[in-house]
Amino acid sequence: MANRAIRMDRASGFVVGTKIRDTVFARHESLSPEQKTAIEHVTSGEKISAIVGRAGAGKATMMKAAREAWESAGYRVLGAALAGKAAEGLEKEAGIVSRTLASWELAWKNGRELLDARTVLVIDEAGMVASKQMAQFVEAVSRAGAKLVLVGDPDQLQPIEAGAAFRAIVERIGHAEFETIYR
């Protein structure tokens, strides 16, 4: 998983142009400098990106603007989370069509809603995802030529099963970080 994440970090193909980003920034004038930096980070082209921030730091607001940038550049944006409540929150707050990780796995097993090279998959609350399941998602995204964006707090709730996959990936690929809490 870690080695595949490193290879994805070195790969490119998901660049969102400066003009599109500037248009999104103009529509979202209230974005903080941290949020703008995070958007630049996740839209810079690598096939994997990570955002680290505590609850209330503005990750959902940033993801809404990032979704608009990706969609303006012609990408399909999908969301996932371990818990249904987190998937609902990502969909409601960021406008990203989302479902649970288990739901995505079942859909793919049945040949539905497959990822492709024009898909960005955002995993929210990534710090809660166990290593085995994270490895499966990293593999699926990589195989499809899609982009993976991991969002979470490695110090929050840890996975029930083995591993701290989010932390391991973040340590290897880097991340944009939110330090200011707004709520």
Side-chain angles (χ1 to χ4, degrees), residues 13-68:
F14 281 83
V15 176
V16 173
T18 305
K19 193 172 191 174
I20 290 173
R21 275 199 309 253
D22 288 345
T23 301
V24 169
F25 290 162
R27 272 198 312 266
H28 296 272
E29 293 176 354
S30 63
L31 289 170
S32 72
E34 281 181 337
Q35 290 168 319
K36 288 180 180 178
T37 298
I39 292 167
E40 290 169 352
H41 175 71
V42 299
T43 61
S44 64
E46 296 81 8
K47 291 194 174 186
I48 188 168
S49 301
I51 302 295
V52 172
R54 301 203 186 297
K59 295 185 303 284
T61 301
M62 184 278 310
M63 288 310 306
K64 179 180 182 180
R67 175 194 51 83
E68 291 177 15

Side-chain angles (χ1 to χ4, degrees), residues 45-107:
E46 296 81 8
K47 291 194 174 186
I48 188 168
S49 301
I51 302 295
V52 172
R54 301 203 186 297
K59 295 185 303 284
T61 301
M62 184 278 310
M63 288 310 306
K64 179 180 182 180
R67 175 194 51 83
E68 291 177 15
W70 284 314
E71 288 176 347
S72 294
Y75 299 110
R76 173 179 67 144
V77 185
L78 303 173
L82 185 63
K85 193 72 170 167
E88 287 174 15
L90 183 61
E91 187 159 340
K92 181 180 177 188
E93 295 173 27
I96 298 172
V97 174
S98 302
R99 45 200 322 183
T100 64
L101 296 171
S103 177
W104 283 119
E105 288 171 323
L106 181 61

Side-chain angles (χ1 to χ4, degrees), residues 2 5-6 8-9 41 48-50 150 168-175:
I6 291 168
M8 290 171 71
D9 185 50
H41 175 71
I48 188 168
S49 301
L150 304 173
I169 291 172
V170 164
E171 287 173 356
R172 286 162 176 81
I173 68 164
H175 62 280

